[in-house]
Amino acid sequence: MPSVLPLGDPAPSDGLLPPQAADGAADRAFGLYVHIPFCAVRCGYCDFNTYTATELGGGASQDAYASTAISEVRLAAEVLKTSGLPDRRMSTVFFGGGTPTLLPAEDLARILGAAIEVWGLEPGAEVTTEANPDSVTPESLQLLADAGFTRVSFGMQSAVPHVLKVLDRTHTPSRVPQVVRWAREAGLAVSLDLIYGTPGESLADWRYSLETALSYEPDHISAYALIVEDGTKLAAQIRRGEVPGIDDDDHADKYELGDQLIGEAGLSWYEVSNWARTPEQACRHNLAYWRGDDWWGIGPGAHSHVGGVRWWNVKHPTAYAGRLSGGVSPAAGRETLDAETRNVERVMLEARLSSGLDVSGLGTSGQHAVAGLIADGLVDPVSAFRGRLVLTLKGRLLADAVVRRILPD
């Protein structure tokens, strides 16, 4: 969740949605995202809307946050009902941040319980929380599992101490196998998040991190190339020459190695940066984003999408809490997507999935581009013949360029 909010139209103070949001809603999945904006330490590469305790003032209290979030849950239920949306149970719930597990597990359970009370959960629903390895205990993980959480995504990032130091990560590598074991004992599925391309990380370092992560036999792995965002501590360090810059060829080498080792360990890619041990263990919440389903985002700076209407909350926890305590929607702005924009976004997102993109839905120039993409080795020819555009490994390395070539007229 980037810290800079987009431009858009003013959002109504009551939060009500236009009639088009309800069109076809019964055929779309509904999910909930809960943003926990607190971190013990701000990582040098992070551009998300997060705050340490020393950055907060006024009414922005971690102790009060669960109650504030629950206020938005109840507001959301009322807005959806009044806007004419059908009753839908949640298919997925995702607690992200920040570090959700900086809040007591009891608070996370309270927020989830309030959401289940107003919407209910689909049978077999996926309920995930992100966590730092140093922010959980066996007891807290068990409490989350008992409350209905099914999955935990640990921010491992690297197994190499000097890489973790550059990233300002606070856990030690030896902590990761311990928390993975605790999560499994609680009955939770386990995902590990990795970052490659950190300044000073060698290919051997990256191989060691991959092999170490895979030795814990996770159900899911996310591996993201480090992006240096303007305004971050890391960007300033690179600008001053204190650490080396980012190298695209290095990223490509590390992605190829990651795909090789993760595949050899029995996990398959289903999105450019994500691999799962079985199709059922893919992150269904993220798939809902990529496929354009509906979700409500709880929390400061959180984004929501319902039926082509997208909106985002005010950024600061104090402003967020103040609006809710005053009975006003925390939405700062919104946009209503037209058919062309929705189709462009569909192409951009679905092209990154292993399930592929329906070629018949492309514009004329996009369909003509497919032959060139096949010739360049970017698209699987067999899938294309069957009407789906599926990226090859080379295509995944150049996913953004592929999308630019097939965007509709």
Side-chain angles (χ1 to χ4, degrees):
M1 181 183 301
S3 62
V4 178
L5 295 179
L7 299 175
D9 299 322
S13 61
D14 58 11
L16 293 181
L17 303 177
Q20 78 165 67
D23 294 344
D27 298 323
R28 298 191 300 270
F30 174 65
L32 187 73
Y33 172 76
V34 182
H35 185 60
I36 309 297
F38 307 114
C39 284
V41 175
R42 178 177 290 279
C43 297
Y45 63 91
C46 181
D47 187 43
F48 283 10
N49 188 41
T50 61
Y51 303 84
T52 64
T54 57
E55 294 173 322
L56 295 174
S61 164
Q62 291 188 32
D63 292 340
Y65 188 76
S67 296
T68 304
I70 289 170
S71 296
E72 190 182 0
V73 167
R74 291 172 179 155
L75 171 72
E78 185 61 30
V79 166
L80 292 174
K81 180 179 179 180
T82 306
S83 299
L85 276 292
D87 291 336
R88 291 177 293 174
R89 290 184 289 187
M90 298 179 294
S91 298
T92 62
V93 182
F94 196 102
F95 283 65
T99 307
T101 44
L102 272 187
L103 290 188
E106 292 84 355
D107 282 0
L108 301 182
R110 281 180 57 212
I111 298 170
L112 177 61
I116 292 173
E117 181 180 344
V118 298
W119 286 301
L121 280 176
E122 290 281 0
E126 174 192 273
V127 182
T128 303
T129 186
E130 294 180 332
N132 282 354
D134 55 1
S135 66
V136 297
T137 65
E139 294 77 19
S140 69
L141 290 168
Q142 188 61 61
L143 195 155
L144 293 175
D146 292 344
F149 284 81
T150 64
R151 187 174 179 273
V152 60
S153 180
F154 288 116
M156 176 179 171
Q157 316 310 5
S158 175
V160 180
H162 78 82
V163 174
L164 291 172
K165 183 177 181 180
V166 173
L167 294 173
D168 291 321
R169 303 297 290 182
T170 57
H171 69 273
T172 58
S174 61
R175 178 79 170 180
V176 178
Q178 189 176 42
V179 299
V180 168
R181 175 170 55 82
W182 293 344
R184 294 209 181 281
E185 289 172 351
L188 296 167
V190 173
S191 177
L192 296 177
D193 283 359
L194 299 174
I195 291 177
Y196 60 89
T198 299
E201 178 191 58
S202 67
L203 192 62
D205 289 335
W206 175 233
R207 176 183 288 274
Y208 179 75
S209 290
L210 285 165
E211 291 175 342
T212 301
L214 292 167
S215 74
Y216 307 145
E217 300 184 344
D219 304 298
H220 183 281
I221 280 187
S222 297
Y224 298 107
L226 179 67
I227 297 174
V228 180
E229 302 286 357
D230 290 340
T232 61
K233 173 185 172 183
L234 182 58
Q237 290 174 315
I238 291 174
R239 187 172 61 251
R240 294 192 298 262
E242 296 171 2
V243 297
I246 300 301
D247 184 292
D248 290 341
D249 290 336
D250 176 67
H251 276 187
D253 290 343
K254 288 173 179 173
Y255 182 87
E256 290 180 333
L257 179 62
D259 185 68
Q260 175 193 336
L261 295 183
I262 296 170
E264 289 173 353
L267 289 82
S268 301
W269 81 279
Y270 68 94
E271 192 274 340
V272 168
S273 299
N274 291 274
W275 292 257
R277 195 163 296 280
T278 68
E280 293 74 25
Q281 290 167 317
C283 180
R284 284 182 275 148
H285 187 82
N286 285 342
L287 282 169
Y289 290 159
W290 299 325
R291 291 172 177 164
D293 286 330
D294 291 351
W295 72 90
W296 191 293
I298 300 292
H303 288 230
S304 304
H305 171 268
V306 175
V309 182
R310 182 161 50 214
W311 68 95
W312 43 91
N313 287 346
V314 293
K315 281 180 52 178
H316 200 278
T318 301
Y320 171 74
R323 289 207 183 191
L324 286 165
S325 66
V328 176
S329 167
R334 77 181 187 192
E335 58 183 340
T336 301
L337 308 178
D338 58 26
E340 180 181 355
T341 302
R342 294 182 76 176
N343 191 48
V344 167
E345 293 191 358
R346 179 187 66 83
V347 170
M348 293 173 64
L349 295 171
E350 291 187 6
R352 297 173 61 89
L353 300 177
S354 64
S355 55
L357 175 69
D358 182 359
V359 173
S360 67
L362 298 176
T364 302
S365 64
Q367 293 187 34
H368 289 164
V370 172
L373 293 169
I374 294 172
D376 292 340
L378 302 173
V379 170
D380 174 54
V382 175
S383 299
F385 177 76
R386 295 172 179 168
R388 307 295 296 183
L389 187 149
V390 178
L391 300 178
T392 61
L393 174 58
K394 181 180 177 182
R396 282 183 271 155
L397 288 167
L398 300 171
D400 291 342
V402 172
V403 167
R404 287 194 294 272
R405 287 172 63 173
I406 60 176
L407 280 176
D409 298 323

